[in-house]
């Protein structure tokens, strides 16, 4: 078995493992919400699919600290930059693709399934970066001059800080405003219904119910489990209306949708440069509401569905901050009302989630950025120091002991090889790779000044200097292997 085969087998195993865990977690969550697996729900305390979405931004901060501690300031910065670029590219591309596919997905699959599709980055990037950035080279390299990249990073970082800080400040201000203009829900009938629904859904942690005079639609706030508050507008609801409203909000709480909103707004700030990401986030937030509509109305008849649609229409309003609400603004009401009234049976889509998760593992870490374009002569000091030893191997083995074991054909005319390689241009790849592997492709092995080693593949060059980590370069044009072999 070659190193490349082993690397892809490991990635394939990891893809199947994550996809299986996601499929199992999704099915168990669905069953727990629909009357089964109550012991699983009681053990977890919620029906979140696999991981709570809030783990996504938390782990990114932990990775930053970890990489600085493990690799030092310089290499740590490279790893962090690689992660940030990879996540930005994947989230932007994935959300954009999902945005265009969403009309088809909504037509054939349940709202809970559509809402879960938006969480794929959570399940993908919770894992350590080195597990999906395995030892294979990237599929594509984008060259951006270092000065331009620095400018883009400054602009992106400033935008991220401003947008996400504004979202947090706006949320805190809104929560404070809600508390200031609210009072406990002292209606005994409403409180009894609230406690009954909580018990029915096996939610035994405290959730406060209050009336608020500055809102027009019911909503729930609270990032911590034991500090959740559901606010109702200062108006009178019928018994049927109150039951629908309270059930909708309790399902948001049961799914930790407040944390999902935080994750989505974080992704919004992360991909703020991409205009379609803004549209995708709005659609994702709509799917959270649609999925709660779906579970509330799972056994409802035509009349109850009609009543719920009227309730959405009369309680239209905007949710601000990291909050969930019964009814959103008018731009999404038409679709929600149509979905509510018709209530067509749709597929659960567990297999499709499995496939998307597995494919995502293979897509992550496959695009890298490169800067610092220079000639191979300048990078290796070829003309100044000369190639002291070189050889070509065709079996894909690039182990540094290849010269001792006779696994490559020695290059006798190192002067011509030096002249040939000196004119090539190469871009330094920002992503980190422990070792590059190949399979049944020619590999040029060389030693410069009896110190630095280099390996050249079709489009890549890896440079190893004792005491330093390997550096990967992307050649701007492929080498001519027939000409190189002619130097042997």
């Amino acid at each position: 078995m070659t190193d490349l085969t082993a690397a892809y087998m490991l990635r394939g195993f990891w893809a199947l493992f994550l996809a299986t865990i996601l499929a199992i977690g999704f099915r168990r969550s669905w069953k727990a919400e629909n009357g089964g697996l109550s012991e699983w729900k009681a053990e977890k305390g919620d029906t979140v699919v696999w991981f709570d979405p809030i783990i996504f931004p938390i782990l990114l901060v932990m990775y930053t600290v970890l990489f600085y501690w493990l690799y030092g300031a310089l290499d740590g910065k490279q790893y962090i930059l690689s992660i940030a670029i990879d996540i930005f590219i994947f989230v932007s591309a994935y959300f954009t693709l999902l945005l265009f596919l969403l009309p088809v997905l909504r037509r054939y699959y349940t709202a809970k399934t559509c809402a879960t599709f938006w969480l794929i980055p959570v399940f993908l990037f919770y894992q350590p970066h080195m597990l999906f950035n395995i030892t294979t080279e990237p599929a594509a390299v984008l060259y951006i001059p270092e000065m331009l990249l620095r400018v883009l990073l400054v602009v992106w970082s400033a935008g991220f800080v401003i947008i996400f800080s504004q979202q947090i400040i706006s949320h805190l201000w809104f929560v404070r405003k809600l508390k200031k203009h609210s009072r406990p829900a002292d209606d005994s009938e409403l409180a009894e219904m609230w406690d009954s629904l909580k018990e029915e859904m096996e939610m035994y942690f405290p959730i406060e119910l209050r009336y608020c005079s500055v809102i027009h639609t019911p909503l729930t706030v609270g990032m911590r489990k034991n500090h959740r508050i559901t606010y109702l507008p200062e108006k009178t609801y019928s018994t049927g209306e109150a039951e629908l409203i309270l059930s909708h909000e309790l399902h948001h709480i049961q799914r930790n949708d407040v944390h999902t909103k935080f994750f989505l707004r974080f992704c919004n700030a992360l991909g703020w440069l991409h205009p379609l990401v803004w549209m995708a986030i709005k659609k994702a937030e709509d799917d959270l509401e649609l999925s709660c509509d779906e579970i509330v109305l799972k056994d409802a008849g035509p009349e109850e569905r009609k009543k719920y649609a009227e309730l959405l229409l009369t309680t239209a309003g905007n949710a601000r901050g990291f909050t969930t609400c019964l009814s959103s603004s008018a731009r999404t009401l038409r679709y929600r009302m149509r979905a509510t009234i018709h209530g067509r049976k749709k597929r659960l889509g567990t297999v499709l989630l499995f496939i998307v998760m597995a494919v995502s593992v293979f897509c992550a870490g496959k695009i890298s950025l490169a800067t610092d374009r220079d000639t191979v002569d300048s990078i290796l000091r070829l003309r100044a120091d000369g190639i002291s030893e070189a050889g070509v191997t065709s079996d894909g083995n690039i182990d540094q002991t290849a010269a001792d074991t006779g696994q490559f054909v020695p290059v006798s005319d190192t002067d011509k090889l030096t002249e040939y390689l000196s004119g090539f241009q190469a871009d330094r790849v920002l992503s980190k790779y422990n070792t590059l592997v190949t399979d049944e492709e020619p590999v040029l092995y060389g030693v410069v000044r009896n110190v630095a080693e280099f390996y050249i593949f079709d489009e890549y060059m890896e440079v190893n200097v004792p005491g330093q980590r390997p550096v990967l370069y992307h050649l701007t044009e492929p080498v001519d292997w027939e000409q190189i072999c002619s130097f042997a």
Side-chain angles (χ1 to χ4, degrees):
M1 180 187 300
T2 64
D3 290 342
L4 184 64
T5 303
Y8 275 107
M9 284 184 64
L10 178 58
R11 186 184 282 257
F13 168 79
W14 192 246
L16 294 177
F17 173 75
L18 294 183
T20 301
I21 295 298
L22 173 58
I24 293 174
F26 178 73
R27 288 286 300 185
R28 290 169 73 85
S29 174
W30 175 268
K31 289 182 179 180
E33 291 182 349
N34 286 271
L37 297 178
S38 60
E39 71 284 352
W40 179 80
K41 180 170 61 175
E43 180 182 343
K44 278 175 60 66
D46 54 46
T47 58
V48 172
V49 178
W50 195 2
F51 278 110
D52 191 317
I54 204 170
I55 198 173
F56 182 77
I58 291 175
L59 279 182
L60 292 185
V61 175
M62 292 177 59
Y63 288 154
T64 300
V65 176
L66 178 64
F67 288 142
Y68 266 105
W69 179 66
L70 287 177
Y71 304 114
L74 183 59
D75 285 339
K77 188 185 300 183
Q78 289 279 59
Y79 272 98
I80 295 164
L81 184 58
S82 298
I83 291 177
I85 292 169
D86 190 31
I87 292 177
F88 174 81
I89 292 175
F90 180 86
V91 170
S92 299
Y94 177 76
F95 277 15
T96 300
L97 180 61
L98 194 54
L99 177 66
F100 286 110
L101 294 177
L102 194 59
V104 178
L105 294 173
R106 282 181 173 178
R107 183 175 181 180
Y108 295 105
Y109 295 95
T110 67
K112 181 177 177 66
T113 308
C114 293
T116 305
F117 276 121
W118 297 105
L119 301 179
I120 290 294
V122 176
F123 313 134
L124 180 65
F125 289 104
Y126 89 92
Q127 55 183 312
H129 188 65
M130 62 284 292
L131 288 180
F132 55 78
N133 201 15
I134 299 179
T135 56
T136 53
E137 68 270 14
V141 177
L142 305 177
Y143 169 70
I144 300 179
E146 184 176 6
M147 184 58 66
L148 177 59
L149 181 61
R150 288 178 181 272
V151 173
L152 290 175
L153 285 174
V154 170
V155 172
W156 172 82
S157 300
F160 172 81
V161 171
I162 292 172
I163 292 172
F164 197 53
S165 297
Q166 186 273 332
Q167 291 174 344
I168 293 176
I169 293 171
S170 176
H171 172 77
L172 295 175
W173 179 85
F174 185 54
V175 169
R176 184 177 180 182
K177 182 179 179 181
L178 291 175
K179 288 182 178 180
K180 183 178 180 181
H181 296 87
S182 67
R183 62 180 177 84
D186 50 9
D187 187 326
S188 59
E189 184 178 348
L190 188 67
E192 184 178 344
M193 181 187 297
W194 179 249
D195 292 336
S196 175
L197 287 171
K198 284 177 57 183
E199 184 175 354
E200 182 182 330
M201 296 174 64
E202 301 179 28
M203 300 171 66
Y204 302 113
F205 49 90
I207 309 171
E208 194 174 356
L209 186 65
R210 301 179 68 87
Y211 282 115
C212 183
S213 60
V214 295
I215 59 174
H216 301 287
T217 183
L219 54 85
T220 298
V221 300
M223 296 296 292
R224 289 181 292 174
K225 184 176 181 178
N226 293 328
H227 292 78
R228 302 278 165 81
I229 303 175
T230 294
Y231 291 98
L232 302 176
E234 289 275 11
K235 61 180 297 186
T236 303
Y237 295 102
S238 68
T239 301
E241 290 176 336
E243 185 174 358
L244 290 172
I245 290 172
L246 299 182
S247 179
H248 182 101
E249 292 305 314
L250 283 173
H251 276 99
H252 273 308
I253 296 170
Q254 189 179 57
R255 296 175 174 183
N256 270 356
D257 279 344
V258 171
H259 289 177
T260 303
K261 289 286 288 285
F262 183 89
F263 157 73
L264 291 173
R265 295 298 177 88
F266 179 84
C267 289
N268 196 168
L270 190 72
W272 73 270
L273 282 171
H274 196 326
L276 292 180
V277 169
W278 293 78
M279 296 175 59
I281 296 302
K282 294 182 184 298
K283 293 293 185 182
E285 292 176 348
D286 293 343
D287 281 335
L288 294 182
E289 300 302 326
L290 286 165
S291 64
C292 281
D293 295 344
E294 179 181 70
I295 189 68
V296 168
L297 299 174
K298 63 176 181 176
D299 299 319
E303 286 301 317
E304 191 172 5
R305 288 181 175 274
K306 183 178 179 181
K307 183 189 299 183
Y308 190 81
E310 293 174 351
L311 185 61
L312 292 178
L313 192 61
T314 57
T315 58
N318 285 312
R320 300 177 60 181
F322 313 124
T323 65
T324 61
C325 71
L326 172 69
S327 184
S328 56
S329 60
R331 65 179 172 79
T332 59
L333 275 180
R334 184 169 60 180
Y335 181 84
R336 286 184 67 188
M337 291 180 68
R338 187 167 63 246
T340 295
I341 293 174
H342 293 300
R344 289 190 296 267
K345 189 173 182 179
K346 299 180 180 180
R347 302 171 187 172
L348 189 55
T350 307
V351 174
L352 185 58
L353 278 169
F354 178 95
I355 294 172
V356 172
M357 184 72 244
V359 172
S360 296
V361 174
F362 279 94
C363 292
K366 300 303 290 182
I367 298 179
S368 185
L369 290 184
T371 60
D372 299 329
R373 177 169 291 179
D374 207 342
T375 63
V376 173
D377 179 37
S378 297
I379 295 169
L380 296 174
R381 293 175 54 86
L382 289 181
R383 288 192 176 94
D385 299 321
I387 298 176
S388 58
E389 182 182 2
V392 180
T393 177
S394 59
D395 63 1
N397 192 321
I398 60 169
D399 191 273
Q400 62 182 5
T401 62
D404 300 328
T405 58
Q407 294 176 344
F408 66 70
V409 178
V411 174
S412 56
D413 198 339
T414 56
D415 291 336
K416 286 187 177 180
L417 179 62
T418 298
E419 187 66 27
Y420 174 72
L421 294 178
S422 296
F424 277 86
Q425 288 189 318
D427 309 324
R428 178 169 179 159
V429 179
L430 293 181
S431 298
K432 290 291 186 179
Y433 297 87
N434 294 328
T435 303
L436 217 57
V437 296
T438 185
D439 190 8
E440 298 181 356
E441 293 181 3
V443 178
L444 174 65
Y445 166 83
V447 180
V448 179
R449 197 179 43 180
N450 292 318
V451 176
E453 296 177 340
F454 67 90
Y455 305 95
I456 293 182
F457 309 85
D458 193 34
E459 296 180 4
Y460 295 94
M461 177 177 69
E462 181 183 295
V463 179
N464 294 328
V465 177
Q468 300 179 18
R469 295 187 181 277
V471 179
L472 181 64
Y473 292 87
H474 179 249
L475 301 176
T476 57
E477 57 181 306
V479 298
D480 186 343
W481 289 106
E482 289 187 6
Q483 186 166 355
I484 289 178
C485 291
S486 68
F487 302 145

